[in-house]
Amino acid sequence: MGLFSWNCKQCGESIKAPYDIPEGIEWQNEAVLLCEDGTMVCGDYDGYGRLGSAELANGTKDPELWHKKCWEGAGQPMKYSGPSDYAEDQGFFYGDDCGAECFEVVEDDGEGVYDD
Ligand SMILES: [Zn+2]
């Protein structure tokens, strides 16, 4: 299936999948997960629900996600404060300066151009 992601609690940008990350925002691939049950995991997000040792695909309830950098900037909060929003760009379909081409890809994603 496709990529999916959540938005960082701090800055509202998605946790990025590690594919074709534009130069300068590679840090948005590194994230911290906080769960309601007290679980805390830090690692690279694979774009398909795996973050370090955690699996976010199904059954992970309302994960709270931060970019590691944002989390550190916020004083490394250890306590769950509420779920992150689901990322509409799926951690992949984004980009400030690629305009029309990106929109074509988004409209075209029914057949999964980027699926393996
Ligand atoms: Zn952030």
Side-chain angles (χ1 to χ4, degrees):
M1 284 294 290
L3 298 151
F4 57 94
S5 187
W6 288 264
N7 290 333
C8 169
K9 197 85 186 186
Q10 175 84 349
C11 70
E13 292 290 320
S14 59
I15 309 302
K16 300 294 189 277
Y19 315 107
D20 299 326
I21 301 186
E23 214 172 300
I25 63 164
E26 294 94 340
W27 57 272
Q28 293 186 8
N29 176 234
E30 225 184 331
V32 175
L33 160 74
L34 301 174
C35 289
E36 208 164 1
D37 66 4
T39 306
M40 200 190 97
V41 179
C42 182
D44 295 337
Y45 185 55
D46 79 345
Y48 295 95
R50 184 162 284 279
L51 176 75
S53 60
E55 184 69 54
L56 292 168
N58 291 311
T60 306
K61 247 192 132 196
D62 303 329
E64 176 177 351
L65 285 149
W66 298 66
H67 296 122
K68 183 161 182 260
K69 197 169 157 183
C70 295
W71 179 76
E72 285 170 349
Q76 307 187 356
M78 310 290 276
K79 229 181 148 183
Y80 180 84
S81 69
S84 288
D85 293 330
Y86 189 77
E88 298 203 349
D89 66 11
Q90 302 167 22
F92 184 75
F93 298 106
Y94 52 88
D96 292 325
D97 40 66
C98 58
E101 257 180 72
C102 277
F103 286 113
E104 274 175 29
V105 171
V106 170
E107 285 167 9
D108 206 14
D109 81 349
E111 283 308 301
V113 177
Y114 289 94
D115 281 359
D116 296 327

